[in-house]
Each structure stands twice: as structure tokens, then as C-alpha cells.
Amino acid sequence: MAALGSSQNPYDAIVVGGGHNGLTAAAYLARAGKKVLVLERRHLVGGAAVTEEKYPGFKYSVCSYVVSLLRPWIIRDLNLTQHGLRLVPLECSYTPQPDDAGLCRWADPDKNRREIQRLSRKDADNYPEFGKLMGKLARFAKPFIDEVAPDPTSLSPSDLWQLKKAGDRFKELGDDLAALQFKLTTMGGVDFLREFFESDQLIAPMSCSGIIGTMLGVNSPGTAYVLLHHYMGEIDGSSRAWGFPIGGTGAVSEAIASSARSFGAEIRCEAPIAKVRIAHGEATGVILENGDEIASRTVVSGCDPSLTFLRFVGEEHLPTDFATSLKRYKDRGSSGKVNLALDRFPEFKHRPGIGPHVMGDVAIAPSTDYLETAYDEAKYGTFSSRPFINVVFPSVLDPGMAPPGKHVMSCFVQYAPYDIATGPETWPEHREAFGDAVVDTLAEYMPTLKEDILHRQVLSPWDIQEEIGITEGNIFHGELGLEQLLFQRPTAGWARYKTPVRGLWLGSSGAHPGGGIMGSPGAMAVQEMLRLGAV
Amino acid sequence: MPRTTPFHSRTSALMESMAWKEWAGYAAACNFDAHSEREYFAIRQSAGLLDVTPLYKYDVTGPDAASFLSRVWTRDITKLKPGRVVYGCMCDGDGKVLDDGTITYLGEDAFRVTSSEPWLGWYSRHSRGMDVEIEDSTDRISALALQGPCSRDILRELTDCDLDSMRFFGTAAGKIAGADGRITRTGYTGDLGYELWMHNADAERVYDALLEAGKPYNMEPIGLDALDVSRIEAGFVLQGIDYICAQRCLIEARKSTPEEAGLGWTVNLDREGWIGRDALLREREVGPKWGLVGLELDWAELEELYDQYNLPPHLAPVACRSAVPVYSSGRSQVGQVTSSTWSPTLKKYLALGQVYAQHAKVGTKLKVEYTVEFERRTVTATVVKRPFFDPERKTFTPNAQPKEGA
């Protein structure tokens, strides 16, 4: 089927979308000596991991704002440190309360214990034990995210071999932990946490990690599993929670892009594609929006599955059952982002000062009822009037993000359902009201906040779709629900980066192991391509 | 019982960890919080403020000051220009290193020498008959190190010294927060940074002013733990750890020549008339026995090692100063690692050590002992160039004047 000879086929691969996964794929391809071209629609690379100066002197990590699961082996393979990657660990997780100092969860166990003791002596004792259990389970689960996902419905020797290895690891866990693992995959986050803790003030912020990026509540079944992802996070090779990239998340993309270029990859911005060019069921290149056609032997998509298959490929080129299951794929973005430029630091009412307590993330999650109520509103198509907000102050960790003494504040906000009652396209009309709800909520904890706002950027899921290009603005390219993970990401039978369109590969967050700044879908897609001699 | 420095009222008020250790008879902060991670990142991303008063300081003055120092130190101080500082080492008659430190040009025939050990006795012995006065100013002068990418911006607001044209290893006398003092563009972190020298009486006000000026830049007070990680990243040797002052050694085997201590670059054997030269000329004939090397441990192998014990890799949050053997690929011991640390910036496990000269070439693969679960294992390590971390900002000067020669 060599319709195009290699002489007319200058590129071994075209990567569609210069997000961090696309760039990672390009870097791995170039590193393997392949001729690669990255095409990015916007004027800068990074996709959702971009740093932009929306207000003079103030830099926003526009969408994605922290790094947890960026694979250490990718950092090493791509020499990302030499290309400028700098990760600073977040110091703590702070959950303020409207009427008291709230709870800080620290890295130091003794400090942490003293803090939790104020709420419950029992919880203070149980906390490290819980951490140890989760650490063990994360150790069991981690190989899954660093390997191609085995398919339990397949009888191929490699799947069976992988499943046997997983089974062996499962056996090593012991009966108690295996039972716990089962609970973890079926229970709601709050219920699961209540098996260990009694303090609602402690359970509420912990349960939040189970709902991020999903259209589920903290009590919804299945949300417990995502808690585990928190314990898989590692920076510096040792298990750790979260890191902040110096220069914002755009600096991570820049580092990967710089690495890709150093291996010889070509990156072209402001080059939106219209279609993947398909001849005889095989991807042979891309067609740009301006009509230009670029030929390549393979195409790797760094875009979400819905965008890739339903728009760039087109249903007519897809097997019916594949198209059907893709249409069932849940994108449904549920979160927004508010970025603020501040004249001075907005001190917390009950924990004033710029201390270590603001050098991590701040979760506005005062109680589990608060979180569930926020979900209630979203279920029926409005944004939460009192949402869950995850705040980071990048300028406290990296003085380069704002002028001296000034600050930027990054607020991840949930829930902001894509499918708002009046229709997603009406989001622009609700955008500022949504921004007001966020600022009003925050002002209950930071009384001077409103006076100090110099600039505000509000992004609804609609805006994320329109500006960044992610379908329905889902930050993970589709929910991280168990039914859309592992061998079912994006759909059963197609979790190995290969797609029903020959020559087209999926290397985005919509592929295994999923979203967040990890880089693995991009890297593992290429490893699979190389292994199979596809490029 | 260590004494306190003139900054103690300030540093002790900021310290939550009660972590003091003895440094040259003074109480010095190890860290200010339960761990030193934030302090380390301050050095690399904003700025860290460290009390370095315990450094031994000698003010050497008089017509023979330069020639005296040129005799005792490996550097030719008669050529040290106004406004400059030089780093060097000092040897005994056998060419074995006694100490390393800096020499700052204070004025005509006036210099300030720093070191890690007290040397008034040695200096007096070797200045007989010379017209030179040597004052131990250790207890009179307080010193701070302000290190990190924001250090220039912070300090600029507090001084009349022209920091934008002060080059790496430059110095100027001037006001610091209204007090008479001196600034040197030096440090032990391998980053942009300055050291500030002032009278004890001004110490507190300078510290207060720096804390205030540092606020918008998220400056942190830092302790020796964070410093230790950054100095290993910078590839700097530490006297007493990576090499031992020859005068303290009970046996010859512990002593090192400058070449063997990684300080060969501070030595000019063509220059005559300095202590240790004759012995080092002889060493040049046969070559040094040891080489000081930077080593990078193979992380994947380390991770695998832990995995064999069903453990995630566990790294101490501080640099390690306990020496471990280094083996050649043929399993014979060829040296030792003396300092090692995980580098949070480079994401690598780094080590400094001494190995037989024939194993010291860049690229050589060696094996370093590594203990997991009480069992001694080895991990592959590669000899790499030092410094491990060398940011451009360390030497960049915004308004660099044409070089006057160092």
C-alpha cells in the first residue's frame, strides 16, 4: 500500500497538536532518529500546559498548574533538566475554614500530626498508617501506568503474561491489602476515607482528589480509586505529592520542545490542521486548514480522542463499533480556571502572613457537605455558587511569575459543567458571573482579596475547548473514571495507542495511562510504534 | 559550648527547628524548619540568607602583605587587582593542602583572608622578618551570604555599591543598609550570590533590612543543610570532609596535594617562592596519586536496587557525609566517595570522592557502595565534569566593564 514513495514522503511522523504529550512523542521519535514534524494550532506550544503573560508583568499558568506524575524516566530520557525543567515541591496542603485556622497537611509527619490532632487524636494516628497503605497500593498500581495496559479480555500471550505479572504483584499485597484495593476501586471517596478517619475537616480535602476533572461528586462510587493517583505522584524519583514548575507549566512544555528540537524535531506553530489525510484506510499525512497537504508515513495525535477521530479523521473512516464507543466516551468537562493578578498577597483571615502554609496548594473544601452541595448544582446544569477551588500561589514559589511584592493566584474551580443548562455555547454570557462566584467564595477566606485584584482571567470549559481545543474542555481528555482507564482508554480493544486507522496513533491524555502532566501517553505511544516497526 | 554570632537574636527568632550545630566554635543553623527543602529551593529559585560569621577571617596589612600572602597561599597576591577577590589554597612544606579560602583586596597593602581553620600561628611563623600585621578579625567582623538568582535585586536596594557592574569575584566597600561594610561577589553555592562583611555592631540592622528587602522575593533564611546540597551541586570540596587539612592528619595517607583535592587549578608551579612548591614540582614528575572526581550514580540501577527489596527509592533529605568505598569494575577498591547528595535541581544522585588517578578520567565507570536494608550493594557511577550545576547567572554581569585582568 505504498501509495507514496519515501522520496515524496519527507516525514516519518507528523504529530498533531503541540501539547506536552505531542511534544513528548515528537522528542521520542526524533531521539529514535525519525524525521518528525509537530503541528500546533496556537502561536505557542504547550496546549493546556502554557504560561502566558495576560497582564503586563504577571505570568499565568493558564490551564494546567501543577505537576505530579511527570514520569522520571521521561525527564531522564529527554534530558529535561538540561532543557530548563525545574520542579519545586509543594510544601503543604492547606484547607482554610471560614471561621478558624483550618487544616494544613504537611510533609513532615510530626508537624502534620500536631495539626491533625486539633481535629481528632485518632485521625492523627491513623493518617500515617493510611499513607503507608496507600503507598503500598500505589506501588502495586504503578507498573500499570508505566506499561502498556494489558487487556483482560484478550488471550494474546503478551496480555496474559502482563496479567500474570500483575496477578503475582496482587498476591504479594496480601489478603488485607487486596481487599482494600477492591474497596478502592468500587467505593466513593468519602465512604472510603470514613473507614479510616472521623474528622470531616480532614476527609473533605482528601476526598477532592477523587473528583478532579470528573462530573462526579465526592460520594459517587468509583471516586476512591483516583485518590490513589495522589500517592503515585512522584517528583525527584521519590514518592511525593505535587510540584510546581519554575516558570509555570509552560516551562515544562518549553523544556520538552527544546529537547525535541535538540533531537532534530521540527515544530511549527500557527499551523492548524483540518483533517488527517486518509487514503485506502491509511493515514498518509495531514491537510492543514489553509489547504496545504503534508505527507508523512505516520500521524501521531496529541489531541483528545473525540477531536482526533470524530473531527480530524471523520466517522466515515472508522469502524462502526469504534465510532459508537467513541461517541459514548465521556468528555464532559466539569471544571474551570480563574487566574488572578494581585497587587499584594491576599492574606488568609485566620492564618495571616506569607508562610509555608501558602507554599503548597490551598483547597477550598471546608466540609464534605459543601462539596456535595457544589456537585448538586452542577448536576442540574449550573456552575457551583460555592465551588471547590484548588488555589496555588505560583509567585510565592517562583518570584519570576510576578513583579516583586506582587502575586499571581491560580484557581482551579469545580464544578463548572460544560453542559450548562442554557447550552454550552452560552458559557460566555455566564463567564463573569462564574468568576464572581469564585472571587466571592475566596473572599470569605481572604478578606482583602477583592481590593487587590489587578486582572482576572476566567476560563469555562467552553473557553478551554475554544481556546485550547480540548473537546468539552475536559482537562484530562476524557474523565479519569475507572470505566475509561487502563485497557478501556479510550475504548476497549484500542488502548495500545494503535487506532483502527492504519498509520494513525493516539499519544494524548485520552490514551493510557491518562491525563495530567505525565508525558507517558506520548512516550509510550512512540515506544509501541518503534516496537512494532511502524515508523 | 558554642558561642553565638551577632545575628543570633534574629536567626534564633526565625528558627522553628532548634537545629543548631557547632561550626568553628559558634552555633550555626542547620535548618530553620523541620526540613531544609524550602531553603534549598530558595537558593536556586529566589534567594537564601546564611550567617557565615564563623568563617575564620584575617586582615593582613602592611608593605609586605601581598608578598607574605603570595608565599603562604598558592596564589600570586601581588597581582591581585583592586576590587577583586581570589580563591586559592594553602600548602605545607610537603605540598599537602592545609586549607582553602578567599583573599579579598581591601585597599593598598590590605587584604582579608578567609579559611576554615585557624591559621594565626602558621601565619606568624611564616611572616617573621616581614613588615606585615596580621589581625584575627573573626570575632570582630560579621558575615552573611546572600545566595540565589534574586540576590542582586534584593541587595541593590540596600547598598550604594554598583552591583550591576560587579563581576564574579569582584568586591567593593560601601554602605549596606546604612552601615559601613563590604560586599564580595562570592559564595559556596555555585549560584549568583554575594557575601556581606560588616562590623558586629551593625549585624542586626543589616539582617533586619535584608529580611525586609527580601520579602517581595520570597527570600528565606537558610542553614547549613541546604548549603551542603548546593555546594555539592557546585562541585565544591569541603575541608574536613572531601580532603583533610594536612596539619590535622595523623598519617600521611590522609593528606592530599592540591591536585588530589581537586584544587590543582589554583596552583601555578611556574611561580616561585611559595610554601609547598618544591614538593609539588616533584609530584609533577610522577603525577598525583589520587584524583578528586565528580560522580553521577546510575539512577535506574539505584531504583532497581530498592525494588529488589520491595521498597520505593528512599533518599535522605540532606547531603550525606559518610564516606563509602568506590570500586573499579574489577571489584578492587580504588577510592572513596566523601560527599553525596540527591540533586533536586538536576534530578541526579551526585557524589564527590577521591579515586586513584588512573580512574579519575571523565567517562570512567566505577562502582559505589550503596546500602539498602543493611545490605551493602554497589551502584554504577560515572565520572563526570564538575561543576555538576553551573548556571549562566553565576558569572553574568549586567553592566560588565571590559576586563581589567584578574
Side-chain angles (χ1 to χ4, degrees):
Chain A
M1 195 61 60
L4 292 163
S6 57
S7 56
Q8 296 147 276
N9 225 353
Y11 292 106
D12 292 314
I14 287 179
V15 177
V16 180
H20 86 280
N21 272 311
L23 295 168
T24 304
Y28 272 90
L29 283 163
R31 184 167 169 263
K34 308 297 173 191
K35 193 164 156 61
V36 194
L37 171 68
V38 181
L39 296 172
E40 166 56 38
R41 183 178 59 95
R42 296 189 70 205
H43 64 281
L44 81 173
V45 293
V50 285
T51 305
E52 291 183 73
E53 197 171 315
K54 292 277 177 189
Y55 184 70
F58 295 79
K59 292 179 191 153
Y60 295 151
S61 284
V62 174
C63 295
S64 171
Y65 59 103
V66 280
V67 174
S68 162
L69 286 160
L70 182 60
R71 311 311 299 141
W73 50 270
I74 295 179
I75 297 180
R76 283 192 297 272
D77 283 353
L78 302 184
N79 302 321
L80 295 186
T81 309
Q82 282 91 314
H83 290 282
L85 178 74
R86 299 277 179 274
L87 293 175
V88 181
L90 293 187
E91 179 96 15
C92 70
S93 275
Y94 175 38
T95 316
Q97 290 289 330
D99 307 315
D100 72 55
L103 172 73
C104 259
R105 286 181 291 144
W106 304 98
D108 179 65
D110 296 316
K111 221 168 145 181
N112 202 34
R113 188 184 149 75
R114 279 200 295 278
E115 188 90 30
I116 298 173
Q117 265 182 355
R118 297 190 300 117
L119 305 173
S120 157
R121 290 200 159 254
K122 278 190 249 168
D123 287 1
D125 288 357
N126 291 343
Y127 194 84
E129 202 183 321
F130 179 78
K132 197 178 96 186
L133 286 175
M134 294 301 271
K136 281 194 174 176
L137 290 182
R139 246 184 87 70
F140 160 71
K142 218 157 99 180
F144 283 115
I145 68 169
D146 282 336
E147 284 169 21
V148 171
D151 185 348
T153 64
S154 150
L155 290 174
S156 86
S158 69
D159 280 307
L160 291 174
W161 173 244
Q162 265 186 292
L163 286 166
K164 185 198 172 293
K165 277 200 299 182
D168 290 348
R169 283 204 310 274
F170 199 65
K171 234 166 49 190
E172 270 173 36
L173 280 176
D175 290 351
D176 294 354
L177 276 171
L180 192 67
Q181 173 73 27
F182 204 76
K183 282 185 174 180
L184 198 65
T185 48
T186 51
M187 287 176 83
V190 169
D191 278 348
F192 182 76
L193 288 164
R194 283 211 180 113
E195 297 206 345
F196 298 86
F197 306 111
E198 59 184 15
S199 164
D200 196 61
Q201 272 199 47
L202 175 63
I203 293 171
M206 291 178 79
S207 69
C208 291
S209 38
I211 55 163
I212 287 178
T214 68
M215 194 53 194
L216 294 169
V218 286
N219 292 297
S220 307
T223 53
Y225 170 75
V226 189
L227 295 177
L228 198 58
H229 272 246
H230 249 239
Y231 289 86
M232 279 193 254
E234 58 183 341
I235 52 177
D236 293 3
S238 52
S239 297
R240 282 294 215 25
W242 298 90
F244 174 79
I246 294 298
T249 51
V252 179
S253 307
E254 288 296 334
I256 303 172
S258 162
S259 165
R261 284 193 199 97
S262 76
F263 290 123
E266 191 182 332
I267 300 173
R268 210 180 289 171
C269 287
E270 296 181 305
I273 81 150
K275 284 282 176 196
V276 173
R277 194 174 71 176
I278 294 173
H280 309 291
E282 182 171 3
T284 60
V286 297
I287 305 165
L288 300 185
E289 275 183 9
N290 66 10
D292 288 357
E293 294 192 18
I294 308 174
S296 66
R297 251 188 233 107
T298 58
V299 175
V300 181
S301 174
C303 301
D304 69 80
S306 305
L307 183 63
T308 304
F309 295 108
L310 300 179
R311 194 161 124 205
F312 292 152
V313 173
E315 225 178 302
E316 65 275 22
H317 297 294
L318 298 170
T320 318
D321 52 346
F322 181 80
T324 308
S325 55
L326 259 183
K327 284 184 186 166
R328 290 182 186 143
Y329 186 70
K330 289 193 288 267
D331 283 305
R332 53 177 197 188
S334 60
S335 58
K337 185 80 194 294
V338 174
N339 296 308
L340 301 173
L342 302 170
D343 197 32
R344 62 182 164 147
F345 189 78
E347 299 192 17
F348 283 89
K349 192 166 36 172
H350 298 291
R351 266 197 215 221
I354 314 181
H357 65 293
V358 295
M359 296 185 158
D361 71 307
V362 179
I364 303 297
S367 69
T368 53
D369 283 351
Y370 175 98
L371 296 167
E372 193 64 23
T373 311
Y375 178 48
D376 285 342
E377 287 173 281
K379 271 187 287 193
Y380 305 111
T382 54
F383 58 79
S384 315
S385 49
R386 284 292 175 272
F388 159 61
I389 308 174
N390 193 243
V391 179
V392 170
F393 298 99
S395 51
V396 172
L397 297 153
D398 174 7
M401 297 297 281
K406 316 271 183 205
H407 289 276
V408 283
M409 186 169 165
S410 160
C411 315
F412 168 87
V413 191
Q414 190 159 334
Y415 299 83
Y418 173 82
D419 278 313
I420 203 159
T422 48
E425 68 289 350
T426 65
W427 252 113
E429 297 156 32
H430 302 290
R431 190 193 292 129
E432 293 311 313
F434 169 59
D436 289 343
V438 173
V439 172
D440 287 345
T441 306
L442 292 168
E444 287 172 12
Y445 304 86
M446 294 171 254
T448 63
L449 177 69
K450 286 185 187 176
E451 307 152 29
D452 299 330
I453 298 176
L454 301 171
H455 177 260
R456 176 171 102 177
Q457 180 193 30
V458 182
L459 289 161
S460 69
W462 172 264
D463 300 317
I464 294 172
Q465 173 179 277
E466 297 303 303
E467 284 190 30
I468 311 296
I470 303 174
T471 305
E472 299 191 7
N474 185 297
I475 58 168
F476 293 142
H477 286 196
E479 278 190 2
L480 290 188
L482 262 177
E483 74 283 15
Q484 297 195 157
L485 283 175
L486 300 165
F487 72 98
Q488 307 203 83
R489 193 165 187 89
T491 75
W494 296 104
R496 303 193 144 207
Y497 313 104
K498 207 174 178 173
T499 74
V501 180
R502 258 174 301 134
L504 174 66
W505 296 76
L506 185 68
S508 71
S509 294
H512 173 73
I517 303 183
M518 296 176 84
S520 10
M524 284 158 67
V526 172
Q527 287 171 352
E528 196 66 2
M529 289 169 80
L530 295 171
R531 189 179 70 84
L532 296 173
V535 65
Chain B
M1 181 69 182
R3 308 160 61 186
T4 55
T5 77
F7 300 108
H8 191 75
S9 62
R10 301 304 189 260
T11 48
S12 58
L14 292 166
M15 181 180 277
E16 290 183 4
S17 57
M18 308 288 220
W20 301 97
K21 74 178 214 183
E22 192 269 350
W23 174 15
Y26 285 93
C30 296
N31 45 55
F32 284 80
D33 201 343
H35 57 81
S36 56
E37 197 166 57
R38 192 168 71 246
E39 296 167 32
Y40 164 80
F41 281 105
I43 296 172
R44 291 292 180 234
Q45 316 300 355
S46 55
L49 184 62
L50 175 76
D51 178 2
V52 291
T53 306
L55 273 176
Y56 287 97
K57 301 173 280 285
Y58 299 93
D59 285 10
V60 179
T61 50
D64 293 337
S67 48
F68 157 68
L69 289 171
S70 305
R71 174 170 147 71
V72 183
W73 285 76
T74 56
R75 293 294 195 156
D76 187 353
I77 304 305
T78 61
K79 292 200 174 131
L80 185 64
K81 295 263 179 349
R84 297 299 298 161
V85 185
V86 71
Y87 173 80
C89 69
M90 218 166 43
C91 296
D92 67 8
D94 298 328
K96 303 297 171 133
V97 185
L98 292 169
D99 208 340
D100 62 295
T102 58
I103 298 162
T104 302
Y105 185 101
L106 297 180
E108 214 186 319
D109 299 332
F111 304 90
R112 179 169 295 146
V113 188
T114 63
S115 53
S116 67
E117 295 279 339
W119 293 113
L120 195 61
W122 181 261
Y123 289 160
S124 312
R125 228 181 302 160
H126 292 283
S127 61
R128 272 179 206 142
M130 295 177 113
D131 191 355
V132 59
E133 196 174 315
I134 303 158
E135 183 214 352
D136 182 346
S137 52
T138 307
D139 296 339
R140 180 170 67 78
I141 303 289
S142 299
L144 289 172
L146 179 64
Q147 303 281 306
C150 295
S151 53
R152 185 186 288 122
D153 293 333
I154 293 168
L155 199 52
R156 194 188 282 122
E157 293 164 33
L158 297 179
T159 182
D160 53 0
C161 296
D162 181 6
L163 295 180
D164 290 309
S165 52
M166 185 187 290
R167 287 190 293 126
F168 189 46
F169 272 82
T171 178
K175 295 277 185 200
I176 309 170
D180 287 321
R182 172 168 289 280
I183 298 175
T184 56
R185 188 171 162 187
T186 49
Y188 200 47
T189 60
D191 216 301
L192 172 66
Y194 299 86
E195 287 173 307
L196 319 175
W197 314 85
M198 69 213 79
H199 298 290
N200 286 352
D202 299 317
E204 290 177 345
R205 74 191 262 208
V206 170
Y207 200 89
D208 292 342
L210 276 164
L211 270 193
E212 196 53 37
K215 261 186 199 160
Y217 299 91
N218 313 321
M219 184 188 81
E220 295 273 346
I222 62 164
L224 296 174
D225 287 356
L227 182 77
D228 214 16
V229 174
S230 54
R231 72 97 187 165
I232 294 172
E233 288 177 335
F236 294 146
V237 292
L238 179 59
Q239 193 280 117
I241 299 292
D242 300 302
Y243 77 91
I244 315 284
C245 161
Q247 226 176 30
R248 283 188 163 197
C249 297
L250 292 175
I251 52 170
E252 281 303 308
R254 296 304 299 271
K255 299 179 181 176
S256 302
T257 64
E259 197 60 55
E260 292 170 338
L263 299 169
W265 63 277
T266 69
V267 169
N268 175 8
L269 286 176
D270 297 336
R271 184 170 74 82
E272 293 180 8
W274 51 279
I275 300 168
R277 177 178 178 252
D278 296 345
L280 293 174
L281 280 172
R282 286 194 295 276
E283 184 196 59
R284 186 160 69 175
E285 301 294 305
V286 292
K289 189 173 174 199
W290 296 93
L292 192 124
V293 291
L295 291 164
E296 214 178 277
L297 272 67
D298 185 318
W299 178 256
E301 219 175 276
L302 198 69
E303 212 167 10
E304 207 172 294
L305 192 54
Y306 275 100
D307 200 56
Q308 289 172 18
Y309 296 85
N310 266 325
L311 287 169
H314 177 76
L315 298 170
V318 290
C320 173
R321 289 178 172 189
S322 39
V324 291
V326 176
Y327 302 95
S328 71
S329 42
R331 303 299 297 163
S332 56
Q333 187 172 341
V334 295
Q336 60 281 336
V337 153
T338 45
S339 302
S340 59
T341 190
W342 169 254
S343 163
T345 295
L346 299 174
K347 312 286 175 224
K348 285 174 181 168
Y349 200 88
L350 311 176
L352 294 172
Q354 261 184 341
V355 295
Y356 289 128
Q358 65 267 32
H359 298 282
K361 240 180 79 192
V362 168
T364 309
K365 299 256 187 232
L366 297 166
K367 294 268 181 191
V368 173
E369 182 179 293
Y370 196 92
T371 302
V372 185
E373 277 303 292
F374 322 107
E375 290 185 7
R376 292 178 180 183
R377 307 288 293 267
T378 59
V379 170
T380 304
T382 310
V383 177
V384 297
K385 262 172 65 185
R386 290 178 298 133
F388 300 103
F389 179 65
D390 195 14
E392 233 171 79
R393 59 185 183 244
K394 177 178 87 177
T395 50
F396 175 77
T397 306
N399 299 334
Q401 305 294 317
K403 252 192 169 173
E404 313 145 28

